[in-house]
Amino acid sequence: MTALLRFAASGAIATATHAFLFAAAVELLGIMPVIATSLAFCTALIVSYGLNYHWTFKSSGAHRVMLPRYVTVALVGLALNVMITFVVVNIGGYWYCYALLAVISTVPAVSFLLSKYWAFGNSRHADTQGE
């Protein structure tokens, strides 16, 4: 299985984790949706990092180096998502589903490339001491 397919599978698992925890927190625990989605996002981010570190990219770099890089990639993805949506909907005046299509067709590719070549790609050269 290629790294791209493993990346997609890891993303699907992280998304399912987020959705399950979000719904459970709101429905079963009565947590407010904004707080619930924030907690679910953080948990899904850790799940995604673990899968991508160990399985997708088989990294050997120190977590204290790799994790901040991965979080940065996730935040870049979030910023792109918001920016594309704002431009398409608020500036362009188009239907929000067009923004979703633009996000789906660009953000995962950017995230994969940043993860492969920066977040996890330099693991052979990253400091592996102190894990």
Side-chain angles (χ1 to χ4, degrees), residues 3 6-11 14 45-59 70 112 115 120:
R6 289 190 302 265
F7 185 79
S10 296
L45 182 70
I46 297 301
V47 168
S48 178
Y49 171 75
L51 288 169
N52 283 305
Y53 180 90
H54 294 290
W55 184 52
T56 303
F57 300 110
K58 297 178 174 72
S59 182
Y70 188 75
F112 174 76
S115 293
F120 297 111

Side-chain angles (χ1 to χ4, degrees), residues 32-52:
M32 293 174 47
V34 171
I35 295 170
T37 197
S38 299
L39 295 171
F41 174 84
C42 291
T43 304
L45 182 70
I46 297 301
V47 168
S48 178
Y49 171 75
L51 288 169
N52 283 305

Side-chain angles (χ1 to χ4, degrees), residues 70-81:
Y70 188 75
V71 169
T72 301
V73 170
L75 293 175
V76 166
L78 176 62
L80 281 173
N81 187 324

Side-chain angles (χ1 to χ4, degrees), residues 103-125:
V103 165
I104 290 170
S105 65
T106 57
V107 174
V110 170
S111 296
F112 174 76
L113 292 172
L114 286 173
S115 293
K116 181 175 181 173
Y117 294 108
W118 180 65
F120 297 111
N122 295 328
S123 65
R124 288 185 301 274
H125 306 295

